[in-house]
Amino acid sequence: MARRDTPGLPDFSLLKRLARDQLVYLLEQLPGKKDLFIESDLMSPLDRIANMSTLKQHDIVKLYKVEYKATVSLSDQLCFLIRPRIQTVKWICDVVNADKAVGRFRRYKIIFTPQRAGDQRWLRTVGGALHLLHSVYGPFSKLYGIGSCSQMTYEWWREQVEQGEQGARPAEIGSVFLIDRDVDFVTPLCSQVVYEGLLDDIFRIKCGCVEFGPDVTSSDRSVKVMLNSQDKVFNEIRNEHFSNVFGFLSQKARNLQTAYDKRQGMDIKQMKTFVSEELKGLKQEHRLLSLHIGASESIMKKKTKQDFQELLQREHCLLEGFEIRESISFIEEHINRQISMMESLRMLCLLSITENGLLPKDYRSLKTQYLQSYGFDHLLTFSNLRQLGLLVEQQGAETLTVMESKVGKLVNDKTAGKITDAFSSLARRSHFRALSRKLNLVPKSDEEYDLRVPKDMAYIFSGAYVPLSCRLIEQVLERDGWAGLEDVTRLLNGHEFAVTGGSRAEPNSDAQRLVLVLFLGGCTFSEISALRFLGRAKGYKFIVVTTAVTNSSRLLEALLGNHA
Amino acid sequence: MMRSKADEEEYWHSSKFKAFTFEDEDDELSRLKESKQAVNSIRQLVEEDDDDDDDDTEKVSWSGEPVGSISWSIKEMAGSNQKIDREPAFPRIPTEPSTLNKSHSGLSLSSLFRGKAKSENFQSFSDAFSDSVRIYAPELRKPKSEYKDYVCDWSPEETVQRLLQGKAVSLEKFRSLQDKLLLLDFAVAAHDGNVITAVLIYLKRSLRKEVLFRELQSRQTALRHFIHYLTESREQKLLLELLRALGRTEDMALLQYKEHLSITDENNKRDFLKSCLSLPFSAEDSAHVQDHYTLLERQIIVEVRNPFRSGLHWSTGCLMLRSCCQAADRQAERGGKVEIYQRFPRKASILNMPLITTLYYCCFYHYGEPEGTFSSPLNVRRTFKISEKQYFVTALAARAKLKAWSDVDALFTGRNWLGFTRKKSPLSFHRVVDVLQRNSAPTQVLQDYVALIDDAELRISLAQKLKCHDIVISTFRDMKDRQMLVAYRGKVEPGSAPERKIDDLLNNQQIRWKN
């Protein structure tokens, strides 16, 4: 079934070198010896492109973390590498003023590294990234997208292309798909059961790197491990459903043992060859294997402890729209027993989105119980979630009509803002049930789903649900546009587009089958796995670019209101 | 979607979700353990000759390892790349209202790293990359002409364009309201949040609040950016004024309520919460804030103060005397007079804990106190209108933790109309068993509750898991399932009481087995 002719990847190490060169350029703008202050959340990203000796080579003498304290640096030149946060800039002003007060002369340089914030300030960053990719690997010939941010990003990028110049070179990447996270909040709220996603849910992968604690390493120290395709063991299991991971690991362990056992009965010469040719690889594999076995064991322990199986079943029922009452009382008991605050919130949001909001009676009762169990300050969390449309009360049809008839009279009224708000939250209403039917997101449950031989992208959720985001991408690529998906885009609040650029690429060229997917607002590892599956099945190669790798905890943590 | 009962059974039995279960410890975990043993058995060998620490796994650290030379040369260079004959570039998306005609200017992608850029800076890295790839190098110095721009007379549209390119502009020269609003509208149309925010900062400085607020009402994108900006820069006062002007009173109330999070002293926090009670919350939230205040007040009393002396009138009658004798918990713990604090020292103070944690605490340390005392669980339950189920779950967990099995038992006791006692529970019995088991209840206690699980299959599986042999055996007997009973005989200890019981049953001629 899988096509074997998926195109190869362009050389992406170029981007890393480019980013490093840009960094060096910025550092060199403050010539001479200097100290560098880095904001802590920039450490890991910086590690991906440079290291200490890169910095040393460019006259960085000392490295400090931004800690909002008076500086102890003695250098005459200070360079700050920070996020554009008001608090941080204010702190730098304090540093400068303190120097001034004591009559100290120094040079300062601030380098801002953008980040997605609650407004549109990040949009230009994304547009810039798209333009960079277009310049290096383009020209793109087809762009598809959905969601208002996608559309704005496209517009921004198009302006750049119009104004810039394009050299004549063959395209390496031909198609691009821009997708807003707003289009699909269901997928990132689901529990992940594909290995890489599970690792992220449990250990939190940060910039491709994970820290395994003593429970995984079976020693007293933690190790940080890069998770990428260079890790041969990881590479083979990252996209696998967790249930297949055990089998794979035990097979590997047996093979490894056999390889070591070959030593028995070797003579000196054979042994020498063994040591010089095979041992190193075996040792490496051994190390990786113990790590991933340790991680799997730790995952199993954590998950069996919290009744994961039942949680998954309830989650699948929500996706299917089946036994909703039972799911509500499950969530209620979860709350009553003060089991994980995040899990309860996640399930509430999933219930709300899949059911198009909660019945007012349920909403009130669940909210009250939630506040009683996890703290009244979560009033603010509920307010945040309502504003985003993630956890809302169902609006009766009559409420809508009444509002519509009133709104005309109220435009000049003080309450106009409020009405607009109510309407926009209505507009954001999810139509998950209808979308699920039209796009066939929940496969029929009457046949056994063999997770070892997945037949569709639903395997990433144990065969229970095809991620909406990835289904859209699949459909649009198949139809080469949105034709026939009008019902779907209407339910998704529109802003869809499919455009063809000037360059004429043959429809079946490698470049056309290399698809750049740009997630605005984050994507999950599960979605990446699903796209990899789709690519294998349909002969595409997907390159995923995202503003962040996200999961349910990251998504919801940003909305918690119980901190100052 | 409704399914018939039969469908439902069918659904669960043929369920695809059974393909894998996270509960099947026997199977999966043991397989994992095997693998681990296999790997560990060769560990010794690996470590023997592990002289060189050659991990190919990249470690993330700031240790200075040698790096490849960074190819870099900086020189100004005009765009030497030849233009090719292009077809009309990408189209605008028709749904986008193209109201603004944007001027053409050189703007490129190095904005990714600098927030400003020019397109004349193409530069090839022939030394490092293949010729087909072009890399952008940012300019080193600003051209002189750029400084001149500063004094030029740009229109609002041109000014926004220059802002987009990160060039210096003067906003101060825009004096009229119309110009200022044009600036804002062009900024919004360009979708660039940085530019929108920059213009808003200027408008905030140069317009009267009333005017700014009024104009923002009809500009939702700008309004969102302004609210975000004020939130980030913590300009609480102005933000509150804005929300008031917009008629968003509930948001205003919540914003003020939020302040309590930064108050650390509990008495100050309580007083602040009290002052929040009059804020214009929705009716529903208003009740929650009232509860929040009442809860903190209660916690302070239980934790540190003696309610009688403080003259609070909580309840009437002689029950108050009980409170009088009851020293506050912090003192009681320090004094070490009360046995329970010695057996189960408190891990943390109860201040600022959620209501249910407080209820649990009261069930743990103050169970059985008369309803008139502040710390009595019944009092907490009544004051906050806690649901029966919630109260039950919490009391169950607390008493089970203390292994107070008679208290646990008493929780279930109800009388039917004939006056017989029988166990009833607002929580399904398999959950009850779960709670008890998590609190390491002995088999003796567990089996009483396992026996009460209605669903036979669930009962058997839990009984097997928890080794409540009697229940398994009697359930199979009731089901007349000889085969299962024979199979189960293999799982109990040879020569044990359960085995004898099974044998008795199997030898019993009076039972009509179904198989």
Side-chain angles (χ1 to χ4, degrees), chain A residues 25 124 154 163 260 304 333, chain B residues 22 45 91 105 139 164 431:
Chain A
Y25 166 74
R124 127 184 226 161
Y154 166 77
Q163 292 155 17
Y260 271 104
T304 45
E333 277 180 16
Chain B
F22 277 88
L45 167 75
S105 62
E139 85 222 87
L164 280 168
R431 292 248 186 274

Side-chain angles (χ1 to χ4, degrees), chain A residues 14 18 21-22 25 46-48 51-55 57 86 118-121 124 129 131-132 135 140 143 151-152 154-161 163-164 166-169 209 225-226 242-243 246-247 250 256-257 260 263 279-280 283-284 286-287 297 304-305 307-310 316 320 322-323 330 333 336-338 364 367-368 371-373 376-377 379-380 383 414 443 445 463-464 497 501-502 504 561 563, chain B residues 1 3 8 11 16-17 20-23 28-29 31-32 35-36 39 41-43 45-46 49-50 54-58 60-62 65 67 70-72 83-84 86-87 90-93 95 102 105 107 109 112-113 115 129 132-136 138-140 164 190-194 221 224-225 228 232-233 246 251 254 257-258 261 284-285 288-289 291-292 354-357 384 389-390 393 427 431 434 438:
Chain A
L14 219 62
L18 181 54
D21 289 353
Q22 295 276 15
Y25 166 74
L46 197 58
D47 261 324
R48 296 285 81 75
N51 55 25
M52 195 56 209
S53 55
T54 319
L55 300 182
Q57 276 168 21
I86 292 174
D119 56 17
Q120 284 172 21
R121 278 183 288 173
R124 127 184 226 161
H131 192 46
L132 172 73
S135 316
F140 308 143
L143 279 96
Q151 201 178 326
M152 286 192 271
Y154 166 77
E155 283 293 327
W156 199 92
W157 168 81
R158 191 186 54 80
E159 295 258 321
Q160 314 313 308
V161 175
Q163 292 155 17
Q166 187 66 51
R169 50 184 298 272
C209 177
V225 185
M226 280 302 296
F242 193 55
S243 58
F246 303 107
S250 55
L256 191 64
Q257 200 158 27
Y260 271 104
R263 283 175 314 129
L279 193 60
K280 193 180 169 196
K283 273 163 60 181
Q284 165 77 2
H286 175 268
R287 208 185 78 88
E297 212 175 26
T304 45
K305 210 157 124 195
D307 275 333
F308 193 49
Q309 191 59 28
E310 194 174 1
H316 294 162
E320 205 173 349
F322 176 61
E323 291 187 338
F330 173 82
E333 277 180 16
N336 287 165
R337 293 173 63 185
Q338 290 185 302
R364 264 168 225 154
K367 177 174 170 182
T368 302
L371 297 177
Q372 291 183 340
S373 270
F376 289 107
D377 15 23
L379 262 180
L380 299 159
S383 157
K414 265 187 169 184
S445 60
F497 58 91
R504 287 147 302 199
H563 49 79
Chain B
M1 198 181 345
R3 286 166 197 261
E8 203 175 307
Y11 172 79
K16 58 204 169 188
F17 311 129
F20 170 69
T21 147
F22 277 88
E23 276 171 353
E28 301 293 356
L29 208 54
R31 242 165 104 195
L32 207 55
S35 321
K36 198 177 182 182
V39 171
S41 69
I42 46 180
R43 169 164 288 166
L45 167 75
V46 174
D49 41 23
D50 205 8
D54 53 345
D55 297 336
D56 284 1
T57 317
E58 188 184 336
V60 181
S61 69
W62 283 93
E65 52 185 277
V67 282
I70 294 166
S71 48
W72 184 255
K83 281 196 175 186
I84 55 156
R86 275 187 293 166
E87 306 225 334
F90 288 94
R92 270 170 194 277
I93 297 163
T95 51
K102 291 162 201 169
S105 62
L107 180 54
L109 52 104
L112 204 126
F113 298 95
F129 306 112
S132 65
V133 179
R134 286 180 291 103
I135 302 295
Y136 293 85
E139 85 222 87
L140 187 58
L164 280 168
H191 309 312
D192 189 317
N194 289 320
T221 306
R224 238 185 23 251
H225 280 76
H228 187 83
E232 210 187 335
S233 55
L246 295 170
D251 290 342
L254 284 166
Y257 165 76
K258 190 176 180 179
L261 293 166
E284 189 196 350
D285 283 358
H288 294 313
V289 174
D291 276 356
H292 191 176
L355 173 58
I356 299 309
T357 312
F384 296 96
K389 190 169 172 181
Q390 173 70 79
V393 171
L427 191 68
R431 292 248 186 274
D434 188 40
R438 275 166 203 271

Side-chain angles (χ1 to χ4, degrees), chain B residues 465-476:
Chain B
K465 196 171 153 196
L466 301 171
K467 306 217 177 337
C468 302
H469 301 303
D470 283 354
I471 294 173
V472 182
I473 295 166
S474 50
T475 307
F476 285 143

Side-chain angles (χ1 to χ4, degrees), chain B residues 37 44 62 68 105 108 131 153 172 187 193 206 214 217 251 261 339 348 382 402 421 471 487 493:
Chain B
Q37 270 165 9
Q44 215 184 351
W62 283 93
S105 62
S108 91
D131 290 350
D153 197 19
E172 276 72 15
S206 66
R214 186 191 67 213
Q217 289 208 18
D251 290 342
L261 293 166
E339 186 223 349
R382 195 192 57 201
L402 282 167
T421 61
I471 294 173
E493 231 166 273

Side-chain angles (χ1 to χ4, degrees), chain B residues 17 35 50 52 91 151 181 184 250 302 342 365 459 469 513:
Chain B
F17 311 129
S35 321
D50 205 8
D52 52 341
V151 291
L181 293 175
L184 188 58
E250 278 180 40
V302 173
Q342 291 170 344
Y365 292 108
R459 184 166 68 233
H469 301 303
W513 299 105

Side-chain angles (χ1 to χ4, degrees), chain A residues 184-200:
Chain A
D184 173 17
F185 276 123
V186 171
T187 305
L189 285 172
C190 293
S191 301
Q192 304 194 73
V193 283
V194 163
Y195 187 63
E196 191 167 11
L198 255 178
L199 286 184
D200 190 38

